[in-house]
Amino acid sequence: MKLKKCVLYCLLIGALSVSFTSNAYMAEAVSTATINNVSENLVTYSLDFDASKNYTVESKTINGKVVNYRAYRNIIYVANPKSKAAQSMNIFIPMDYFDNGKINDYTKKTAPIFMPNGVGGYMPGEAGEPQEKDFYGDGANAILVALSNGYVVAAPAIRGRSTIGDDGQAYVGKAPALIVDYKAAVRYLRHNKKQLPAGDTEKIISNGTSAGGALSALLGATGNAKEYEPYLKEIGAANERDDIFASSDYCPITNLEHADMAYEWMFNGVNSYYMATWQLQDLANRGMNIPGDKPGKPAQPPQALNANAANNPTASKQEVQMTQEEITVSNVLKAAFPDYINSLQLKDEQGTLLTLDKEGNGSFRDYIKGKYIQSAQDALNSGLDVSSASWVKVINGKVVDVDLNAYPASATRMKAAPAFDKLDLSSAENDEFGSENNTPKHFSAISKQYESKIGEMADSETIKLMNPMNFIGNGKAVTAKHFRIRHGAIDRDTTLAIPAILALKLQNSGIDVNFYSPWNRGHAGDYDLPELFNWIDSICKTK
Ligand code: DHB
């Protein structure tokens, strides 16, 4: 899946939370209780996996090779789900392991467990399926590639901002529900390590894109952190560890309460923007004002969804001018970023402290420049023409400089300031931090201060639980040993500084990090599956 299918799909069908029943949702124990004078069935689901039942044997073809696997679907992974559909997962196991076979040098005991999430736009993620053609029809998806490489796949559905509980009463997927579910799914696997026919629960590798990339990073950073315990208890998660081995994060929309500053540090001075069509659809679904439309004018239907060359989400062709207020906030946010960077005391690979002066210049900016230079140089070396990128300076086949002041106008701005914590509470992230009755909230101090009349602040504990930065290097969690982080060189859903900060913080804490900005990539994921699985093989096979 090159771009979050769920962002597109879920938004197209509207903010529906699908509630369905199937044979898989068999109650193991049923008791009746009365809550607030409403009689409800309180159902407890077994956390014990039974490998002998409820599976199908299936096959799919990848590069002419048939991959046979057992598929277990819709396994509820918590004892007390708020939404059965959103808290269930699919498990796929290569058939060879049932004959004690080997695939890619893995055995049923050593096979790593690939654990992708399908979250996009902070919407609910569906349980993944192996597919011969991914969303754009140009090759097998990550799950099928994983199976063909001998991995067991555990693909959980996860609650998101539009999930309504099975009781029909409340929005049960607001923060921190997404990470609580991902952790619960990991715990379910560990709880069943003896019952699983194959797969090493000490080799779980998460994967996700965008909001799903943020979630994958968060899972990797927060292993066993006690702060999540009450939420895990509430849904009846297994009493097990939830640390993982490795985390693969494509364009993570993370560190949300600082992402507005980072965005303006890069895009300040570009005073118009082009939204993605999914954002327009999201605003329409939620009855929000569409920027650029006259107040009261009905939302325009978005243009047809199609991918551009860089697998970027389709940008609206409508250029919208920032308001004077947005330009002023942009200046405030840009000015606040250096203090944040300097507070982190990040160091590059040579041990150089990465800082910014008041104007936003300094070694951190040079570091970001270096990432773009490397990306452009690699593109050149592989025979690509980079001359259309006017911000890249090439002399005799060597990229000698990139002009970070020219980059933003060339990449174009996608979000007005503030990019994430909108003053009118209209963003996906405001919705994500919203209340059980679906009232969006602020999550960053600057937006809240700036527009104190509108909206409440999400509670500080919830904000903390959604940011991996709060758990790295301080002994508060077991961090995954390995991270692979990608953020395309023309991605402007968030700015490169955000994944770079995450990568540096991890690296500075002794974690193995593979961080790169691929040339000409927009906001997308899973576009380099051979490299991804080579990387996973390399870390899994190292003794
Ligand atoms: C996603 C993209 C965004 O720009 C954003 O703000 C949140 C989520 C996504 O594609 O998941």
Side-chain angles (χ1 to χ4, degrees):
M1 176 161 57
K2 299 288 193 261
L3 162 67
K4 286 288 76 177
K5 182 172 157 187
C6 192
V7 176
L8 306 175
Y9 180 71
C10 298
L11 294 174
L12 272 181
I13 61 170
L16 290 177
S17 178
V18 190
S19 133
F20 60 88
T21 49
S22 92
N23 287 342
Y25 301 137
M26 297 272 287
E28 301 279 329
V30 181
S31 65
T32 305
T34 302
I35 304 172
N36 295 337
N37 295 327
V38 182
S39 180
E40 290 189 6
N41 284 332
L42 281 187
V43 183
T44 301
Y45 292 85
S46 169
L47 292 175
D48 296 331
F49 179 67
D50 183 349
S52 69
K53 284 202 280 212
N54 296 331
Y55 63 83
T56 51
V57 176
E58 300 172 10
S59 53
K60 290 226 171 340
T61 303
I62 175 169
N63 300 327
K65 186 182 132 198
V66 177
V67 181
N68 300 308
Y69 55 88
R70 257 195 207 182
Y72 299 88
R73 290 197 172 81
N74 302 327
I75 306 156
I76 296 175
Y77 56 74
V78 292
N80 311 116
K82 305 251 182 200
S83 159
K84 293 186 284 301
Q87 292 172 297
S88 57
M89 74 170 137
N90 296 340
I91 297 179
F92 304 102
I93 301 177
M95 280 313 288
D96 287 357
Y97 293 138
F98 294 93
D99 301 325
N100 288 317
K102 270 194 171 181
I103 312 172
N104 186 18
D105 286 337
Y106 296 122
T107 65
K108 66 181 180 189
K109 278 216 166 68
T110 64
I113 302 178
F114 182 63
M115 198 174 189
N117 76 74
V119 167
Y122 284 99
M123 295 294 274
E126 290 177 14
E129 287 283 338
Q131 282 165 2
E132 292 176 359
K133 291 195 185 309
D134 72 358
F135 193 51
Y136 288 108
D138 58 354
N141 73 350
I143 294 180
L144 185 54
V145 174
L147 290 170
S148 77
N149 284 328
Y151 294 69
V152 168
V153 177
I158 285 179
R159 287 174 291 168
R161 61 189 165 98
S162 68
T163 306
I164 295 170
D166 289 344
D167 63 5
Q169 299 297 307
Y171 284 80
V172 295
K174 306 294 185 185
L178 296 96
I179 181 62
V180 174
D181 285 357
Y182 215 3
K183 283 173 174 288
V186 171
R187 289 173 171 220
Y188 180 90
L189 295 175
R190 284 236 166 81
H191 179 74
N192 288 292
K193 63 175 179 252
K194 295 218 171 72
Q195 286 75 37
L196 282 173
D200 179 355
T201 53
E202 296 311 305
K203 291 278 161 60
I204 294 175
I205 301 104
S206 64
N207 184 56
T209 298
S210 192
L215 192 57
S216 178
L218 194 55
L219 184 70
T222 60
N224 313 329
K226 66 173 183 350
E227 287 86 341
Y228 300 88
E229 207 60 51
Y231 299 93
L232 287 155
K233 275 223 167 73
E234 190 190 350
I235 56 173
N239 189 14
E240 298 280 343
R241 289 163 36 226
D242 54 49
D243 58 293
I244 59 168
F245 179 65
S247 173
S248 157
D249 318 323
Y250 288 96
C251 51
I253 299 286
T254 189
N255 198 355
L256 294 171
E257 63 271 37
H258 302 108
D260 288 332
M261 300 176 197
Y263 205 83
E264 298 317 312
W265 172 70
M266 184 58 83
F267 284 97
N268 180 264
V270 175
N271 291 337
S272 69
Y273 61 105
Y274 300 83
M275 294 176 77
T277 48
W278 76 262
Q279 291 178 296
L280 295 173
Q281 181 69 62
D282 190 42
L283 292 174
N285 287 346
R286 292 163 48 228
M288 296 284 180
N289 268 345
I290 310 287
D293 277 5
K294 293 190 183 67
K297 187 177 159 195
Q300 296 297 305
Q303 300 159 32
L305 294 167
N306 55 23
N308 70 15
N311 291 325
N312 231 0
T314 321
S316 159
K317 292 197 176 57
Q318 191 184 2
E319 180 179 11
V320 183
Q321 298 300 320
M322 298 221 300
T323 63
Q324 196 49 54
E325 184 182 47
E326 287 167 340
I327 292 169
T328 307
V329 182
S330 169
N331 295 335
V332 172
L333 287 162
K334 180 189 173 187
F337 188 58
D339 275 354
Y340 173 59
I341 281 296
N342 297 339
S343 76
L344 294 172
Q345 301 271 301
L346 299 170
K347 290 188 177 142
D348 71 6
E349 292 76 9
Q350 285 72 47
T352 307
L353 194 62
L354 301 177
T355 59
L356 291 175
D357 64 19
K358 276 202 176 65
E359 277 69 50
N361 295 315
S363 50
F364 179 78
R365 196 165 174 90
D366 295 342
Y367 183 82
I368 295 297
K369 237 182 169 186
K371 291 289 160 193
Y372 286 123
I373 290 176
Q374 188 188 350
S375 177
Q377 185 68 58
D378 290 348
L380 260 186
N381 295 350
S382 72
L384 286 174
D385 179 8
V386 303
S387 62
S388 63
S390 54
W391 48 284
V392 177
K393 192 170 170 198
V394 180
I395 299 178
N396 294 332
K398 200 160 168 19
V399 178
V400 291
D401 200 10
V402 301
D403 182 353
L404 279 193
N405 296 322
Y407 168 83
S410 159
T412 73
R413 183 193 264 276
M414 174 177 158
K415 297 168 175 178
F420 297 93
D421 190 353
K422 290 285 179 203
L423 300 184
D424 66 357
L425 295 162
S426 61
S427 74
E429 290 77 9
N430 293 129
D431 192 28
E432 158 65 8
F433 280 106
S435 67
E436 284 213 333
N437 69 5
N438 209 22
T439 306
K441 292 192 183 175
H442 287 300
F443 49 89
S444 80
I446 290 181
S447 287
K448 175 64 190 151
Q449 269 163 24
Y450 209 84
E451 193 44 282
S452 55
K453 296 179 294 297
I454 304 178
E456 266 179 55
M457 189 81 173
D459 77 86
S460 58
E461 182 72 2
T462 305
I463 298 168
K464 175 180 160 192
L465 295 184
M466 293 302 288
N467 191 341
M469 295 292 289
N470 297 321
F471 295 86
I472 301 165
N474 57 10
K476 286 193 164 184
V478 175
T479 316
K481 286 198 175 71
H482 309 276
F483 278 73
R484 183 178 192 267
I485 303 172
R486 292 291 178 270
H487 178 95
I490 54 168
D491 189 334
R492 75 281 192 269
D493 281 53
T494 193
T495 193
L496 181 59
I498 287 295
I501 289 168
L502 174 65
L504 287 162
K505 177 91 183 165
L506 288 161
Q507 215 164 276
N508 292 175
S509 307
I511 306 297
D512 165 41
V513 184
N514 180 317
F515 174 51
Y516 188 62
S517 181
W519 185 250
N520 203 31
R521 281 287 168 203
H523 193 65
D526 292 3
Y527 40 70
D528 55 354
L529 295 177
E531 289 89 344
L532 171 64
F533 285 101
N534 278 341
W535 175 77
I536 305 179
D537 278 347
S538 76
I539 56 173
C540 287
K541 291 180 181 178
T542 309
K543 286 269 161 10

